[in-house]
Amino acid sequence: MMTFLEGGFGAFIGQNLQEFWGFTGFANATWGHLVMICVGLFFLYLGIKHKMEPMLLVPIGFGILIGNIPFHDGMQIGIYEEGSVLNYLYFGVKNGIYPPLIFLGIGAMTDFSALISNPKLMTIGAAAQLGIFGAYIAALAFGFTAAEAGAIGIIGGADGPTAIFLSSRLAPDMMGAIAIAAYSYMALVPVLQPWIMKLCTTKKERLIRMRPPRPISKSEKVMFPIIGLLLTCFLVPSGLPLLGMLFLGNLLKESGVTKRLATTAGGPLIDIVTILIGLTVGASTQATTFLTEKSLLVFAIGAASFIIATFGGVLFVKFLNLFLKEGNKINPLIGNAGVSAVPDSARVSQEIGLKYDKTNHLLMHAMGPNVAGVIGSAVAAGILLGFLG
C-alpha cells in the first residue's frame, strides 16, 4: 500500500514538474529566440558601453529581450496576443499614435534659426531624401509590393518615428523590421557617414568657411511654424499628422507664452513616448515573426538607402557651390546633415570639420539642413502615403 502511494505521489509530482517545464522559456526556446536575444544584448552594449543613441538603443535593446523570452501559446503575454499588456502598449505604434507625439516634442526642442537665416539649406535636406526614393525603386526590383517598397524606402531618411508612422499605414506586417532598421542606422550615423563625407570632398572643400548666420527676430521665429505648416500641408496633406505636430511644438517654444506646454512637450512627454516606442518596437521583433528573409532584405536595402541619402546630400552641396560666388559657398561637410537624424548628423559635420580646421565650427550651419531633413522626410512620407495609401 505504501509503495503504491509512493508510486502514485511520485508520478503526480513528475507530471506536475513536466507540465511546469513545458511552460518555461527553456522548453519553448528556438534558435531564433537566441539569435534575437544576442541582437538585443548587442543593442544594449552599443547604447551603454559606446553611448550610441542610448535614449533609443537601450529601450529598444531591452524590448528585444522582452519580446524574445519564449513562452507557451495562449498565455496572453506576447505583444501580438490580443488582451495582453504589451499588445495594449503596442497599440500606439500599430496605429501611428506615438510618432506624432514624438514630432511634437522634436518641434518643441528644435531651433530653426539656422534654416531661417539661410533658406537655401532647405534644398540640402530635400536632396538627402534621394535615398528614400532610391530605396523605393530597389525594393520594387526585389519583388516587394509598391506599399511595402514605400515603407522600406523611408528608412533612408534616418527618421524612426516617420518610418513607424508610414509603415503602420502601408506595411504593418513589416513594421518591426523597418523600425529597427531605421533606429539602427540613426544610431550608427557616427560610423556610417564620415567615410562617405571624406570620399566625396577634397581638403580644400573641407576648409570652406561659411558666413555666420544672421540674427533672427522673434517675429520670424513665430511666423516660421505657421507658414511652414500652411506651405507643406497644403502641398502634402497626407503629412499633416507629423508636420502639424512638429510645427505646433515649435510654435509652443517660440511664441514665448506657452513655456510650460513647450517644456512638457520637449521634456516629460517625449521621454515617456520614447520609452514606450522603443520598448514596444523592440518587443515586436519576436523571432517567430521577425526572422524572415524579408526582414534581412529590409536591413540591406535600408543600409543602401541611408548611404545613398548621405551621398546625395554631400554631392548636392558640391553641385550647388558651382553657382555660388566665393564667400557664399557652402562647406560640403554639412551635406550629410540632410538626413533627419537630429542632432547626430550635424555633430558629425562639426567633428569632421574640426579635424581639418580646429577653428571652423560647422554645427550651427549643419543644423539648417538637419532640421530641413526632418521636414523633408515627413513631406516624403506624406507623398508616399498619398500615392500608395
Side-chain angles (χ1 to χ4, degrees):
M1 182 72 175
M2 196 66 179
T3 304
F4 172 77
L5 289 174
E6 288 176 353
F9 183 72
F12 175 76
I13 293 296
Q15 183 180 351
N16 278 269
L17 287 175
Q18 188 174 4
E19 289 180 3
F20 172 77
W21 175 256
F23 281 93
T24 65
F26 297 104
N28 291 280
T30 66
W31 67 269
H33 290 110
L34 300 179
V35 168
M36 291 309 302
I37 286 173
C38 290
V39 171
L41 292 174
F42 180 64
F43 273 43
L44 290 174
Y45 171 77
L46 292 178
I48 297 172
K49 177 69 175 179
H50 294 285
K51 298 180 180 179
M52 287 187 177
E53 286 291 335
M55 297 284 284
L56 297 174
L57 291 192
V58 171
I60 289 175
F62 203 80
I64 293 174
L65 299 185
I66 290 175
N68 284 280
I69 299 295
F71 56 86
H72 193 276
D73 289 340
M75 296 181 69
Q76 284 195 319
I77 56 174
I79 197 166
Y80 295 113
E81 292 186 301
E82 294 292 334
S84 74
V85 174
L86 285 176
N87 184 258
Y88 286 129
L89 295 177
Y90 191 56
F91 181 88
V93 172
K94 187 168 56 177
N95 292 277
I97 296 171
Y98 294 152
L101 295 177
I102 292 283
F103 264 66
L104 177 67
I106 291 172
M109 295 189 297
T110 301
D111 185 352
F112 287 99
S113 296
L115 186 60
I116 300 171
S117 172
N118 193 354
K120 61 178 174 285
L121 297 179
M122 177 71 79
T123 59
I124 302 173
Q129 307 313 311
L130 177 67
I132 293 175
F133 297 99
Y136 172 71
I137 295 170
L140 287 176
F142 277 102
F144 288 96
T145 66
E148 290 173 338
I152 294 169
I154 206 67
I155 297 171
D159 189 335
T162 303
I164 290 172
F165 177 79
L166 190 61
S167 58
S168 70
R169 296 292 187 272
L170 298 182
D173 293 341
M174 300 175 61
M175 186 162 45
I178 291 169
I180 292 293
Y183 278 117
S184 298
Y185 298 130
M186 284 175 66
L188 292 174
V189 159
V191 176
L192 294 175
Q193 287 195 323
W195 68 270
I196 299 174
M197 296 160 67
K198 293 175 184 177
L199 179 66
C200 294
T201 57
T202 64
K203 185 176 181 180
K204 181 180 178 181
E205 288 173 326
R206 297 171 202 147
L207 296 174
I208 292 176
R209 284 181 172 270
M210 298 174 64
R211 289 183 176 180
R214 68 174 177 82
I216 304 300
S217 68
K218 181 178 178 179
S219 297
E220 289 177 288
K221 290 184 176 183
V222 171
M223 291 302 295
F224 178 80
I226 298 172
I227 295 172
L229 171 70
L230 296 176
L231 287 179
T232 57
C233 291
F234 265 87
L235 181 65
V236 188
S238 305
L240 184 60
L242 297 179
L243 291 166
M245 297 296 269
L246 175 72
F247 288 125
L248 171 60
N250 190 244
L251 184 62
L252 294 177
K253 172 181 181 291
E254 301 298 355
S255 67
V257 295
T258 52
K259 185 177 179 181
R260 284 172 53 193
L261 299 182
T263 301
T264 299
L269 178 62
I270 195 172
D271 289 342
I272 291 169
V273 178
T274 297
I275 292 171
L276 293 177
I277 205 170
L279 175 69
T280 51
V281 164
S284 70
T285 62
Q286 285 186 3
T288 50
T289 58
F290 185 79
L291 280 181
T292 65
E293 185 179 338
K294 272 191 172 183
S295 296
L296 298 177
L297 203 51
V298 165
F299 270 81
I301 296 174
S305 69
F306 183 75
I307 291 170
I308 291 170
T310 306
F311 269 108
V314 176
L315 294 178
F316 180 78
V317 175
K318 290 166 69 75
F319 172 75
L320 200 59
N321 280 340
L322 297 176
F323 305 95
L324 299 177
K325 297 179 181 178
E326 288 295 332
N328 289 327
K329 292 187 181 294
I330 301 171
N331 192 314
L333 288 179
I334 73 170
N336 74 296
V339 300
S340 58
V342 179
D344 296 302
S345 52
R347 287 200 195 110
V348 171
S349 304
Q350 167 85 344
E351 291 169 4
I352 301 299
L354 289 176
K355 284 185 179 180
Y356 294 92
D357 183 347
K358 295 185 182 300
T359 63
N360 191 12
H361 296 275
L362 297 173
L363 183 61
M364 275 303 298
H365 301 291
M367 283 304 297
N370 209 184
V371 296
V374 176
I375 299 172
S377 64
V379 169
I383 292 173
L384 291 169
L385 186 58
F387 279 99
L388 305 173

